[in-house]
Amino acid sequence: MNLYFPNKIKVATIELEGVMIIKEVNDRVVLDGVEGKLVQCLADKLNFEIEVLLSPNDEILSDYGNGTWSGIVGMVQRGEADMGVMGLTLSERTLKAVDFSIPYSALEYIFVTKVPGEMPKVSAFTYPFSREVWIFYTFLILAATFLFQRIMFRKATLLGCFLSVLGSITSQAMENIRDTPWRRVLFGLWMTIAAVMTFFYNTSFLSFLTMPEKVPVPRTFEELSNAVLSGKYKCHTSKGVDDRDILLGSPNEYLVKLGEIIEKNDWEYSYSEQFADLLDNPVAIMIPKILLYVLLGSPPYVTVQESDDYLGVWHMAINLRKGFCCRERLNEIISRIINGGLYEKWFDDHAFRDKLRKRLEVKHEDKELQLTLEDLKMAFFALFVGYTLAFLAFFAELLIPKRFDIFYS
């Protein structure tokens, strides 16, 4: 094997906190960060000097469509740099432009949203049943009203029968019922349904008040696409990366539609900015999982939620200019780094350091589980409306000379 290696290597990259940190120590460039430690380890082992070339506008790669690239990949393709490093992946699209080292890690592409907040307790009375169950329950009450008015009550009006059926749900007695054996069976069946449904509702209602559900957020790329297309969410891709091209070239129609609306609205963010602030709105951010942990930290000390699936998983490798002399020697050292678990250690060190810092910022608060007046505001409001209607009906009976009876004809 050729043991020769150049004395100086030009490395194209971008500077990014926790990933690629560029320092100058005793007139010598020293790299830190997850990717920076990889290059620095190679330089120390192969005894070469590092010359860092920063990509214009912090662009990693972008396809011009005519076989040429911009960003870090473009610099390596044009021979301006010997290596390109910044989470670059092996792909057939860039194979004609650059060569690759052996893979040293995997890049899992996900999206993140803000950790969902609790559903508002003020409307908790609707939560125990789904919309379909509410519709079915309403239909059941109306059907029981018509059935009872026909065969159960003596000369009852439809309105009176409806109020009696409705009252039975809240444990009110039902009067004026024709007493026959088969009617008792029908009556018992209805009272069983009313008692069981009421029991399920009450237990579920209290559980929702004490342990509120989380507001639903997209968990998969298909759910995200549907949410974005319906206008409920925005989705940002990273600036200077070909995320949109990956979406538009996907065989899945929902990913193509997602890419089209992102491109139409030009939704993008930069790694160097405080992009996590975007998540305060209904926004999803597409990001490599490794960058999420390095830049933002990992749960529970960050208020972001990862998607359940991936846009894709790619192998990361160092990009090399075509005709680079010493790829085999470089691959030998990278193989040693991988087998020694050094890259995973560098990643874990930076992720742990960030997690520890964020943990120190978290203030412990005991979660309040007791019910408050605010939680029961809607219940009291419904009670007030009911009493108001009852008083109005009472005053109407007093003021209207002609007696009326809504229960019996």
Side-chain angles (χ1 to χ4, degrees), residues 18 25 40 51 68 104 130 214 262 268-270 359 367 375:
V25 180
Q40 189 62 54
E51 181 182 348
T68 59
Y104 58 85
S130 65
K214 299 292 186 180
I262 291 173
E268 62 180 10
Y269 70 94
S270 174
R359 181 174 182 176
K367 190 173 182 180
D375 301 330

Side-chain angles (χ1 to χ4, degrees), residues 173-193:
M174 298 179 71
E175 301 176 349
N176 195 35
I177 297 176
R178 297 173 181 174
D179 189 10
T180 60
W182 69 271
R183 286 189 176 92
R184 290 196 202 110
V185 174
L186 182 61
F187 179 69
L189 178 62
W190 169 252
M191 293 305 295
T192 301
I193 294 174

